[in-house]
Amino acid sequence: MKKHLLQFALCFLFGAAAFGQKKFIALRDTPPDSTIAGFFIKKVVDSRPATDSIGYLFIGAQSRKVPVDLARGLTNAFSNYLDRAVPRDAGDLPVILGVDELSLTPVPSGADQELKVSLQASFYQQRERYKVLLFETQVSVSGQEPPEALIRQALVKALTEFSDTDWESPDAGSPVTEERLKKRLDQQGQQVIPLNLLLAGYAAGSNATGWMFSYYRSSKSSHKGWFFPWRLGGEFLQIESQPFARSGIVEARLNYGMFGICPFREITDRVYINLDFMLLVGAETLTDRIDRQSTNLLLGIAPKQSLYFIPDSRYGLVVGFGLYQRLLTSEVYKNDFGFQVEAGFKF
């Protein structure tokens, strides 16, 4: 039974991912060929008028037109790439990067599909009590390389053009009006959408099996590609017969709740790794062989390692599976190890 459940979870997860209607592009952590020195990008602002996609590709033997976007969104994709791949030296000055346009389109060519990436970018800097617009540029690159390579080339080209200007001069740039600031630099905060996941699942462990439920919530702000929702959860588990035989307990009721931190990171398009670390607090009521009852404080830790398919749409179906462990102060059993499958909704 446990083996069949795991096989079902694997098939469902990767089947759902395969039939997605949008293709997502993850940027590799490949360092740029050119040297970018004197500044670092403190903040990336997505100021495009439309943010639902960056363009399209023709895919498959029938050249099906498929919209494409950056995995985790433009702001996170560019920020994570710049943090990981572009060296930063002591003394570099902070600069704000505004992305006003990013497009990926096929261009007519021979047998192989050639792509074109266009990027319009603005560079700002904080000067005392106001911000100044230092530089604006529009760049484009084309070729038959993978889409993510062309996007990185366009980004590095814009950064290199900015680096070659006299942006460090105290007289460089012009103050940005409050109207433009509101339109461009505050837009990122307006696009942060809380992530809510409501999940139910079946758990099969070495000492207990049954049902569990979880609620995750996060602002989706990230650090180095990770985001950290908090989680509330509960379980309805049936204890196996072996723990009773070992402990001398004939009846047990374990009532507890779980809460803790639950890091998520996207590892491929819409597939996330999740590393839960939960604290478990509750009470157990026990009855032994001579009908004596006792109630004890129940404490424990509950780590879990899972993979989830989470759609990028505002609402959608979520599925996942993983391994879990329990370390408890219970007199019935002290530990448990098993796997679980889950399904639910993002809203």
Side-chain angles (χ1 to χ4, degrees):
M1 176 67 178
K2 297 178 183 178
K3 181 179 179 181
H4 294 316
L5 282 172
L6 182 57
Q7 291 174 342
F8 171 78
L10 284 167
C11 294
F12 195 87
L13 176 63
F14 293 107
F19 286 98
Q21 294 186 352
K22 182 187 285 189
K23 180 177 177 61
F24 290 87
I25 299 171
L27 300 183
R28 297 177 181 270
D29 298 341
T30 305
D33 296 330
S34 57
T35 301
I36 299 171
F39 70 94
F40 69 94
I41 301 301
K42 178 182 178 182
K43 181 180 180 181
V44 177
V45 177
D46 185 358
S47 53
R48 297 172 296 158
T51 59
D52 55 335
S53 71
I54 62 172
Y56 63 92
L57 294 173
F58 292 116
I59 295 178
Q62 297 179 337
S63 296
R64 184 166 56 95
K65 186 177 180 180
V66 176
V68 294
D69 204 353
L70 288 168
R72 298 277 302 140
L74 185 147
T75 299
N76 284 323
F78 276 19
S79 296
N80 293 337
Y81 170 73
L82 293 169
D83 286 343
R84 295 194 294 256
V86 180
R88 181 185 302 183
D89 296 325
D92 284 354
L93 298 177
V95 171
I96 300 169
L97 170 64
V99 180
D100 306 318
E101 178 188 342
L102 177 64
S103 63
L104 171 68
T105 53
V107 296
S109 62
D112 295 325
Q113 180 174 256
E114 185 171 322
L115 303 174
K116 178 181 179 182
V117 173
S118 297
L119 171 65
Q120 182 176 336
S122 306
F123 295 84
Y124 304 85
Q125 188 180 39
Q126 183 74 43
R127 297 270 179 90
E128 296 179 352
R129 291 178 296 176
Y130 60 92
K131 294 180 177 68
V132 296
L133 173 63
L134 299 173
F135 181 67
E136 291 180 295
T137 185
Q138 184 163 6
V139 300
S140 63
V141 296
S142 58
Q144 296 178 352
E145 294 118 297
E148 70 86 22
L150 294 174
I151 294 171
R152 283 190 287 107
Q153 291 174 24
L155 176 58
V156 171
K157 188 174 181 180
L159 293 172
T160 303
E161 287 191 5
F162 171 68
S163 181
D164 292 339
T165 66
D166 189 24
W167 64 272
E168 292 181 275
S169 170
D171 298 326
S174 56
V176 183
T177 65
E178 288 299 321
E179 181 179 355
R180 186 168 188 175
L181 273 176
K182 183 176 181 181
K183 178 181 178 182
R184 292 195 167 192
L185 298 183
D186 293 343
Q187 191 173 46
Q188 181 185 26
Q190 297 171 2
Q191 293 175 347
V192 174
I193 300 175
L195 172 68
N196 295 279
L197 301 179
L198 185 61
L199 305 173
Y202 181 80
S206 56
N207 287 315
T209 60
W211 300 94
M212 56 180 56
F213 66 91
S214 302
Y215 172 64
Y216 293 89
R217 180 175 174 82
S218 170
S219 65
K220 291 190 70 175
S221 58
S222 65
H223 177 71
K224 303 295 184 181
W226 292 89
F227 63 100
F228 302 87
W230 53 263
R231 174 192 169 199
L232 295 176
E235 300 175 332
F236 301 92
L237 303 180
Q238 179 71 38
I239 302 173
E240 303 287 349
S241 58
Q242 296 91 336
F244 288 112
R246 292 193 300 263
S247 65
I249 303 296
V250 297
E251 184 180 338
R253 177 172 295 178
L254 280 62
N255 301 304
Y256 56 84
M258 297 188 297
F259 59 93
I261 189 169
C262 311
F264 279 75
R265 182 185 177 94
E266 188 171 29
I267 57 175
T268 186
D269 294 347
R270 292 162 290 175
V271 178
Y272 293 76
I273 187 172
N274 162 235
L275 304 174
D276 279 12
F277 188 84
M278 306 287 288
L279 298 179
L280 185 152
V281 180
E284 62 176 358
T285 302
L286 309 175
T287 304
D288 62 17
R289 292 191 177 115
I290 59 175
D291 205 30
R292 290 182 304 183
Q293 287 192 345
S294 61
T295 300
N296 305 316
L297 176 66
L298 185 63
L299 301 173
I301 57 175
K304 177 171 70 75
Q305 307 82 40
S306 302
L307 289 176
Y308 287 98
F309 170 75
I310 304 177
D312 283 296
S313 56
R314 184 69 176 88
Y315 304 93
L317 176 68
V318 178
V319 293
F321 67 92
L323 302 175
Y324 69 90
Q325 304 82 38
R326 299 284 186 272
L327 296 176
L328 307 170
T329 59
S330 172
E331 295 185 14
V332 184
Y333 63 94
K334 300 296 184 183
N335 57 75
D336 196 18
F337 173 83
F339 72 88
Q340 67 183 64
V341 294
E342 296 176 275
F345 295 95
K346 172 187 176 183
F347 59 96

